[in-house]
Amino acid sequence: MKILAIRTDRIGDCILTLPAIRLIKKYYPESEVYFMIKSKISPLFYNNPDIKEIIPLSDKASIREVFNKIKNYNFDISINFFVDKITPIAVFLAKIPLRIGPFSKIQSIFLNRRIKQNRKKSIKHEADYNIELLSTLNIPFERVEPKIYILEEEKNSFFRFSGKAEKENFVVIH
């Protein structure tokens, strides 16, 4: 099963999509999950073992650009974790059989499994809204922490750059 996870907004929201991706791999371990995100943040997700491939998008991507990037993958499922103006139309045009997402904007009509959510009120954590969308795949709600995978050479580079010792406690704020 080939699944396209889509989150085309900001870095924090993309990170909060990772628990949902991890649950997909937990309940469908043989599936291949592809993650479509903005190019400028894509390096942060390269080393994630739950993601087969990152599909980067430019900030000004068009429906045609998205369609051309996905048409030959033959995805079985797409999950729009955020409904933007172009990706729901592109997944429809790519004839992805199961198109999941929140029923929150007019573009949601191009999705065929819509879950009513009102994220504007922020009643739930953003990761919980994302996990809620997996109910269509019979994945039960389960809290999972997001995890960023950093290579050893990246860690070593940080320690060299910062002058910190590996055993020191530190906090990075973005």
Side-chain angles (χ1 to χ4, degrees):
M1 184 165 46
K2 291 174 87 172
I3 300 171
L4 174 61
I6 304 169
R7 189 74 198 222
T8 58
D9 50 347
R10 294 173 183 87
I11 188 170
D13 292 319
C14 291
I15 289 171
L16 294 175
T17 305
L18 293 175
I21 290 172
R22 189 165 340 143
L23 286 172
I24 292 168
K25 288 301 288 182
K26 176 181 178 181
Y27 287 93
Y28 295 96
E30 300 301 315
S31 67
E32 296 177 348
V33 180
Y34 297 73
F35 196 19
M36 179 177 279
I37 55 177
K38 295 288 185 179
S39 315
K40 61 186 172 190
I41 63 169
S42 61
L44 189 58
F45 302 90
Y46 284 156
N47 306 312
N48 190 312
D50 297 323
I51 299 171
K52 173 144 177 100
E53 184 180 326
I54 300 293
I55 302 174
L57 281 186
S58 67
D59 282 340
K60 297 183 182 190
S62 65
I63 294 168
R64 179 180 302 263
E65 180 186 336
V66 175
F67 172 75
N68 286 335
K69 282 184 179 267
I70 65 173
K71 68 181 176 184
N72 295 322
Y73 281 93
N74 297 316
F75 288 112
D76 300 296
I77 299 169
S78 67
I79 306 170
N80 275 79
F81 289 99
F82 171 74
V83 177
D84 60 24
K85 293 180 180 177
I86 59 170
T87 57
I89 300 167
V91 297
F92 172 78
L93 293 173
K95 298 182 178 159
I96 297 175
L98 182 56
R99 301 177 306 278
I100 302 166
F103 189 36
S104 56
K105 297 179 182 167
I106 191 70
Q107 294 85 349
S108 298
I109 63 171
F110 293 99
L111 306 172
N112 56 11
R113 293 292 187 282
R114 298 176 287 269
I115 287 113
K116 190 149 179 60
Q117 295 179 326
N118 190 348
R119 295 182 184 211
K120 288 181 184 175
K121 293 182 181 178
S122 298
I123 295 169
K124 300 176 188 176
H125 193 282
E126 184 66 22
D128 293 349
Y129 284 119
N130 294 331
I131 293 167
E132 201 174 70
L133 293 175
L134 303 180
S135 64
T136 301
L137 301 175
N138 297 317
I139 295 175
F141 183 87
E142 184 179 327
R143 280 247 160 77
V144 179
E145 296 296 319
K147 185 170 181 179
I148 302 295
Y149 294 86
I150 300 170
L151 297 174
E152 273 310 304
E153 68 182 55
E154 292 169 327
K155 286 180 189 176
N156 294 337
S157 175
F158 167 77
F159 289 119
R160 278 192 310 273
F161 174 76
S162 68
K164 298 266 185 204
E166 283 193 48
K167 301 286 182 199
E168 285 185 72
N169 291 325
F170 61 91
V171 175
V172 177
I173 299 174
H174 170 70

